Amino acid sequence: MSARPIRLRNPYALYLIPGVIAFLAVVIVPFAMNIYFSLTHWQGVGSPTWAGLENYQELMKDSRFWESFRHSVAMVLAMAVIPTAVGLVVAAALFDFIGKHFGSKLASVLRACFYLPQVLPITVAGIVWSWILAPENGSLNELLKAVGLGSLQQDWLGDPKFALYSVMAVMVWVQLGFPVVIFMAGLQRVDPSLYEAAELDGTNWWQRFWHVTLPQIRPEIYVVMLWCTIAALKVFGAVYVLTKGGPADATIVPSYFSFSTFFEKTDVGYGSAIATVLTLIILALTTVGLRFQSRSEDAQ
């Protein structure tokens, strides 16, 4: 008698096994280890000493920790709010004005130019901007001097008054291309008859943008805001390259605070506690954002 072949109820589940294994190895297991170390006192060598919630209790009293989260709010403004608002206008202008009056090829070239900073490694972009913003012989200060505005020259990354705003400006430049590309892709699914009807009613470009474009690409707006907010909360590379959290903690953010505590001060337990809190905040915001998007789409 020949053996009967084994039939699985859901054969497609087999294809999920490699992804599940990778997810466990790369995300779940490291996160569980991070939570464990956050409950210990450990310098990276020897055996960890159990500390319970001491690291978290100390964290709640740490002014540097709360200062880093205040800077994260500024990063959300620079990497989510401003790029989303500006990206909406730019994408609508490229699609509804440049594309119609000057051709889709020019609109595609301009879209690629806006997206170019997203392709550049953040290390390369950070080094270039550190040259531009250098206090001596920096391109920005030299330009101000050349146009007779030498009194406005500053140490853009070395002065605590301007360092955070300088990093925010760089991150707006880096992040702008992502919303532009997503919004232009969303605009392609909008029914052209809506714009034609609006034009027949005598509306101008801004009225069409406000009453037609925004409502039609609302799902893309939610996606961009959520994605960019998460990126802002975990931003690290730009801060590391441009300022290393300085001067005088003027640009420190939770991810860099965790890194410096973990590797520079070799306080693994405390650094893990910072990373754990940051991760939980990101997960909570993601859950709330997805639920809000789902309810909004159902209502629409």
Side-chain angles (χ1 to χ4, degrees), residues 215-228:
Q216 292 298 315
I217 63 171
R218 189 175 299 171
E220 284 80 5
I221 295 175
Y222 288 136
V223 170
V224 168
M225 279 296 296
L226 180 60
W227 186 277
C228 292

Side-chain angles (χ1 to χ4, degrees), residues 91-104:
L94 291 177
F95 184 85
D96 191 32
F97 183 78
I98 300 296
K100 291 182 179 179
H101 294 82
F102 300 95
S104 59

Side-chain angles (χ1 to χ4, degrees), residues 109-121 125 173-178 181:
V109 171
L110 293 176
R111 178 181 59 188
C113 291
F114 280 108
Y115 193 72
L116 181 61
Q118 286 278 308
V119 180
L120 291 176
W173 174 81
V174 170
Q175 200 71 11
L176 181 60
F178 175 72
V181 169

Side-chain angles (χ1 to χ4, degrees), residues 2-288:
S2 60
R4 297 178 63 182
I6 300 176
R7 294 183 178 180
L8 299 176
R9 292 183 178 180
N10 189 1
Y12 298 104
L14 292 175
Y15 295 98
L16 299 177
I17 293 178
V20 171
I21 294 175
F23 182 74
L24 289 172
V26 177
V27 178
I28 300 300
V29 173
F31 184 55
M33 293 176 62
N34 188 80
I35 293 176
Y36 166 73
F37 287 130
S38 71
L39 301 173
T40 65
H41 292 307
W42 190 38
Q43 300 298 317
V45 294
S47 299
T49 303
W50 183 257
L53 298 176
E54 291 181 14
N55 288 323
Y56 293 96
Q57 292 172 351
E58 184 180 351
L59 202 61
M60 295 300 103
K61 304 174 185 177
D62 194 340
S63 60
R64 293 188 70 202
F65 174 74
W66 294 110
E67 185 70 15
S68 69
F69 268 100
R70 284 193 289 271
H71 296 157
S72 283
V73 174
M75 287 300 171
V76 170
L77 178 65
M79 296 180 64
V81 178
I82 295 177
T84 299
V86 177
L88 276 168
V89 177
V90 171
L94 291 177
F95 184 85
D96 191 32
F97 183 78
I98 300 296
K100 291 182 179 179
H101 294 82
F102 300 95
S104 59
K105 290 185 178 180
L106 178 59
S108 299
V109 171
L110 293 176
R111 178 181 59 188
C113 291
F114 280 108
Y115 193 72
L116 181 61
Q118 286 278 308
V119 180
L120 291 176
I122 192 60
T123 303
V124 175
I127 292 174
V128 172
W129 274 102
S130 66
W131 292 342
I132 294 173
L133 300 174
E136 297 180 2
N137 300 322
S139 300
L140 179 56
N141 280 340
E142 289 297 316
L143 177 62
L144 292 173
K145 182 179 179 181
V147 298
L149 298 175
S151 59
L152 299 179
Q153 292 179 324
Q154 302 291 339
D155 185 358
W156 300 103
L157 296 175
D159 190 335
K161 297 179 182 179
F162 300 100
L164 181 61
Y165 298 111
S166 299
V167 175
M168 289 173 64
V170 173
M171 296 315 299
V172 170
W173 174 81
V174 170
Q175 200 71 11
L176 181 60
F178 175 72
V180 170
V181 169
I182 298 299
F183 292 147
M184 288 193 70
L187 287 170
Q188 292 179 359
R189 65 175 179 80
V190 179
D191 189 352
S193 63
L194 295 176
Y195 290 106
E196 294 174 0
E199 289 181 2
L200 291 175
D201 290 337
T203 59
N204 55 35
W205 181 86
W206 179 256
Q207 290 172 326
R208 293 196 301 273
F209 170 76
W210 187 260
H211 295 287
V212 178
T213 301
L214 287 183
Q216 292 298 315
I217 63 171
R218 189 175 299 171
E220 284 80 5
I221 295 175
Y222 288 136
V223 170
V224 168
M225 279 296 296
L226 180 60
W227 186 277
C228 292
T229 299
I230 294 173
L233 289 174
K234 62 187 185 68
V235 63
F236 172 80
V239 173
Y240 179 79
V241 174
L242 290 171
T243 62
K244 290 184 169 57
D249 289 341
T251 59
I252 193 169
V253 291
S255 58
Y256 186 81
F257 186 24
S258 175
F259 167 82
S260 62
T261 303
F262 199 109
F263 292 101
E264 296 175 2
K265 297 181 179 180
T266 64
D267 192 346
V268 176
Y270 198 61
S272 298
I274 300 170
T276 300
V277 172
L278 178 61
T279 303
L280 293 176
I281 290 175
I282 291 175
L283 288 175
L285 286 176
T286 302
T287 302
V288 171

